[in-house]
Amino acid sequence: IMSIEVSQVSKTFDTFTALHELNLKIHTGELVALLGPSGSGKTTLLRIIAGLEPPDTGSIIFDGEDNTEKSTQDRKVGFVFQHYALFKNMTVFENIAFGLKVRPAKLRPGKEVIRQKVQELLALVKMEELANRYPAQLSGGQRQRIALARALAVEPKVLLLDEPFGALDAKVRKDLRRWLRKLHNEYPITSVFVTHDQEEALDVADRIVILNEGKIEQIGTPEEVYDNPANPFVYNFLGNVNLFHGRMHDGKVELGSLQLEAPEHAGIGNADIVSYIRPHDIEICLEDEGKGFIAAEIFFIRAVGPIVNLELKRLDNDEYIEVEISKEVYRSLQLKAKQNVYLRPRDFKV
Ligand code: ADP
Ligand code: MG
């Protein structure tokens, strides 16, 4: 296992700068997600860490040692990609054994050692009974598990995954990322997991690196980035959020008819502001309990599962609001579409 340090890494293609002087430290044994929209530079950064692409400036340091000039083969990294082509004409067993068999003669393990190693990996990815199948006889999820076993066969110290479950359907993806998390806990390795899916990153990672236009917006645990987003980009990218436009003056925030105490970090200046309110941070009630509540009309209710999603329209300015409440609250208030209710943010950021 190794730590990874990305130091002052930049990359320009023709005139387009894909990465701007990135700095990042990944600790030994961590599973870090690189999260960002399409085109934000995730794959480019992963390829530079892998040694598949040279950076224009900066360095890649493994365990304190500069690896920038080293080839991919010398970096002890394993990969899994979204469309990882398993060899079609080889069985699952042969696919996993491949990386060991093609080693130079003096590093190549004996036949029996290879057999044992492949058995262990098949057990690790829970696919023992499929050893003799061909890739075409596997589901997409099974193929990605084999791709992972194959990547692990050469005992890499770093595992690099580029949207490994991106091509699979939602249910399988969810199962696989839980499975990957468990596997990572059992298997000593440092992993970098690229995804554009917020939920996937929040679910699987020890820490999340949020990339946008080739720059790091924030690095933190899932809780840190979700609860304390560093800026509006992160706030928006990590989940549903309501934007309310308004004004701040003398320590008060005015969002239309809604008056709130300004949060401490906001200072006491006077300015036009945008406030961000998560759907689950909004309280809902049937009576106007005075200052601090806004009236809104419910126009859509989605009551599937334990969380009920409501869409409402403010009566004072026609802005839309999304609210999430528990099924219990929903039932106790007996909410219906077209009904008028009153809302108040429990928590918000400006
Ligand atoms: P992501 O993986 O986050 O979707 P990429 O790292 O693949 O983003 O790409 C980042 C940006 O760099 C994109 O705008 C992409 O078009 C550009 N880019 C990536 N690779 C190349 C290349 N080989 N030549 C030119 N432009 C590239
Ligand atoms: Mg990519």
Side-chain angles (χ1 to χ4, degrees):
I1 349 183
M2 294 199 279
S3 65
I4 305 168
E5 188 178 345
V6 172
S7 173
Q8 292 292 108
V9 164
S10 299
K11 183 74 188 179
T12 298
F13 297 106
D14 300 320
T15 58
F16 179 79
T17 301
L19 300 175
H20 300 263
E21 299 185 349
L22 297 193
N23 291 297
L24 172 63
K25 282 187 182 150
I26 298 171
H27 308 130
T28 301
E30 245 188 334
L31 198 175
V32 163
L34 297 183
L35 172 67
S38 174
S40 56
K42 307 180 295 293
T43 294
T44 304
L45 179 56
L46 204 72
R47 287 173 56 81
I48 289 173
I49 293 172
L52 294 167
E53 188 96 62
D56 295 338
T57 69
S59 37
I60 300 298
I61 298 155
F62 287 162
D63 269 350
E65 187 191 332
D66 194 328
N67 270 245
T68 319
E69 303 297 324
K70 276 197 187 167
S71 71
T72 300
Q73 288 73 23
D74 292 338
R75 290 194 191 192
K76 299 204 164 43
V77 294
F79 307 95
V80 182
F81 298 114
Q82 182 173 338
H83 300 287
Y84 197 94
L86 292 174
F87 300 116
K88 287 199 194 81
N89 54 346
M90 288 186 195
T91 64
V92 162
F93 184 97
E94 291 161 347
N95 263 285
I96 297 174
F98 181 80
L100 298 169
K101 285 187 180 161
V102 297
R103 282 187 169 176
K106 65 177 163 55
L107 296 174
R108 195 184 311 142
K111 216 171 167 178
E112 182 53 25
V113 175
I114 291 182
R115 200 193 57 79
Q116 246 179 36
K117 180 84 202 166
V118 173
Q119 284 306 337
E120 278 170 29
L121 286 163
L122 281 168
L124 184 73
V125 301
K126 306 262 184 315
M127 304 233 346
E128 290 111 312
E129 69 283 16
L130 301 181
N132 296 317
R133 295 242 188 127
Y134 286 87
Q137 301 168 305
L138 303 174
S139 71
Q142 290 171 334
R143 270 182 230 154
Q144 287 309 74
R145 278 153 64 183
I146 297 303
L148 198 78
R150 188 164 96 160
L152 294 176
V154 295
E155 297 181 3
K157 295 187 167 182
V158 167
L159 183 62
L160 303 174
L161 306 121
D162 194 351
E163 314 229 9
F165 311 137
L168 307 170
D169 65 55
K171 169 80 172 82
V172 176
R173 236 168 50 207
K174 198 160 187 166
D175 289 348
L176 277 181
R177 67 184 187 239
R178 298 269 156 86
W179 168 84
L180 176 75
R181 181 65 244 187
K182 241 179 101 220
L183 187 134
H184 194 272
N185 293 345
E186 292 165 10
Y187 194 94
I189 199 153
T190 307
S191 302
V192 185
F193 182 98
V194 162
T195 179
H196 66 270
D197 180 339
Q198 307 81 324
E199 211 185 295
E200 192 163 81
L202 290 167
D203 224 19
V204 81
D206 294 314
R207 285 192 304 152
I208 300 178
V209 177
I210 294 160
L211 272 177
N212 180 32
E213 298 183 345
K215 299 193 183 109
I216 293 176
E217 299 276 1
Q218 189 171 6
I219 305 174
T221 64
E223 291 81 0
E224 283 164 356
V225 295
Y226 190 84
D227 291 336
N228 288 305
N231 56 47
F233 176 83
V234 178
Y235 216 112
N236 270 308
F237 195 66
L238 282 185
N240 273 347
V241 67
N242 294 292
L243 300 187
F244 287 0
H245 297 266
R247 268 194 70 74
M248 186 160 73
H249 61 89
D250 307 324
K252 295 256 188 289
V253 169
E254 254 182 40
L255 306 166
S257 61
L258 186 63
Q259 278 232 6
L260 300 159
E261 294 295 322
E264 263 175 45
H265 70 89
I268 48 161
N270 295 347
D272 289 334
I273 53 152
V274 181
S275 71
Y276 303 86
I277 308 171
R278 296 262 190 234
H280 55 76
D281 283 332
I282 296 177
E283 195 182 331
I284 189 162
C285 60
L286 299 176
E287 302 291 330
D288 181 1
E289 292 179 10
K291 225 164 87 177
F293 283 74
I294 44 172
E297 182 189 346
I298 300 175
F299 76 95
F300 180 75
I301 300 177
R302 181 181 179 276
V304 182
I307 301 295
V308 176
N309 304 85
L310 306 171
E311 283 178 44
L312 306 102
K313 194 154 88 181
R314 283 173 70 158
L315 299 184
D316 58 342
N317 67 3
D318 281 352
E319 278 182 344
Y320 289 96
I321 308 176
E322 283 182 51
V323 176
E324 282 175 20
I325 54 176
S326 69
K327 193 143 248 170
E328 289 82 65
V329 170
Y330 168 70
R331 288 202 177 121
S332 73
L333 295 178
Q334 302 189 324
L335 299 176
K336 306 252 173 355
K338 298 226 166 96
Q339 181 179 355
N340 286 355
V341 292
Y342 299 88
L343 305 175
R344 189 175 60 167
R346 240 180 259 120
D347 189 19
F348 68 106
K349 301 260 182 334
V350 297

